[in-house]
Amino acid sequence: MPCLITVIQHDDDVPLARFENWLAADSDIKLRVVYGRTTPIPTEAGDALIVLGGEANTYATEEFPHLAATRTLMRTSMEEDLPVLGICLGAQLLAVETGGRVTVGHPDGREVGPVDVTWEEDAAADPILGPLATASTRVAELHSDAITELGPDATALGRSERYLQAFRVGSALGVQFHPEVAPEQVGAWTATYEDVDSDAVVRDLRAADGEIAPASQALAAAFVAEVRASAARRNSR
């Protein structure tokens, strides 16, 4: 029976993108995409949960009520020991739900384009990041809010020069960077930013994509492997 991964998509223009093909490369994986702003958040994730990025800030739960429901789904999924992956806003929601803090509009400024992540020692043993943690990894970035404090049960796994980039808490992994996007997607996001040269961002990301894409695909493959392993453990109980 295929494993079901529920995907919470906050905005129309922040989709699974390249992850969709990488995650569903064979019939063992079924994706259920839930559009958080217009569709009720489910109470159960299935076999795993991915929470994507978005324009909202982590604390804007009155304006975007689905954010609170998403945090609850992340919490209940972790309580069931399901694999959870939070990307950008998803990582920030995970951090806050588990006792951490996010600084909205961090004074150190926006991080955009290709960025190098240096891994902490614990990353080598992580079931998702382990394949990447043998050396620094180039990733695609776009964020202004930043995770500035982790909860007591979370472990930092990777950092860029300025910001926390990856952490684990229980069965959940949060990554501030965007492993799912192609260069053109980041360019589309920054096209309306007056302080960003969107064309230069796309050029830089295209030049680095020979490093970014394989690392991102490896992360997707490792997540799928963890989803299968988690399902097998539950089925054997």
Side-chain angles (χ1 to χ4, degrees):
M1 186 173 180
C3 293
L4 173 64
I5 300 176
T6 296
V7 180
I8 307 300
Q9 180 174 333
H10 304 284
D11 298 323
D12 289 342
D13 63 344
V14 191
L16 267 175
R18 297 197 286 197
F19 251 38
E20 184 169 1
N21 289 334
W22 292 340
L23 291 170
D26 57 56
S27 59
D28 288 344
I29 298 296
K30 179 182 178 182
L31 300 174
R32 173 178 64 175
V33 179
V34 176
Y35 295 89
R37 294 197 191 193
T38 59
T39 308
I41 301 297
T43 57
E44 295 183 353
D47 295 298
L49 176 66
I50 297 175
V51 181
L52 297 172
E55 287 292 326
N57 83 65
T58 317
Y59 300 107
T61 52
E62 290 190 9
E63 184 178 1
F64 305 106
H66 76 280
L67 295 180
T70 298
R71 283 175 50 179
T72 298
L73 181 59
M74 296 177 92
R75 169 67 69 178
T76 58
S77 297
M78 292 168 60
E79 289 172 351
E80 295 172 10
D81 204 28
L82 302 181
V84 175
L85 175 61
I87 296 173
C88 198
L89 173 59
Q92 295 167 7
L93 291 168
L94 175 63
V96 171
E97 179 62 20
T98 55
R101 187 169 66 90
V102 169
T103 298
V104 177
H106 197 285
D108 285 352
R110 182 185 292 116
E111 195 171 44
V112 59
V115 170
D116 290 323
V117 173
T118 300
W119 303 108
E120 304 285 354
E121 184 175 346
D122 288 332
D126 189 82
I128 311 301
L129 294 179
L132 307 182
T134 58
S136 64
T137 301
R138 186 152 290 189
V139 300
E141 294 278 6
L142 178 59
H143 69 104
S144 299
D145 301 348
I147 299 164
T148 45
E149 184 177 327
L150 291 175
D153 297 323
T155 300
L157 298 177
R159 303 178 186 276
S160 65
E161 185 176 346
R162 287 188 287 167
Y163 297 118
L164 178 72
Q165 293 294 332
F167 67 97
R168 177 165 289 281
V169 53
S171 65
L173 173 68
V175 295
Q176 181 61 71
F177 56 91
H178 282 279
E180 83 285 12
V181 298
E184 293 74 20
Q185 181 69 61
V186 181
W189 292 339
T190 59
T192 59
Y193 293 7
E194 294 182 357
D195 60 334
V196 175
D197 185 339
S198 185
D199 291 338
V201 169
V202 173
R203 284 196 303 270
D204 291 346
L205 284 169
R206 283 175 177 166
D209 203 46
E211 299 175 67
I212 292 173
S216 298
Q217 189 169 5
L219 190 153
F223 184 73
V224 166
E226 180 62 15
V227 172
R228 290 177 178 146
S230 171
R233 289 193 298 269
R234 293 195 308 279
N235 290 335
S236 67
R237 291 173 185 168

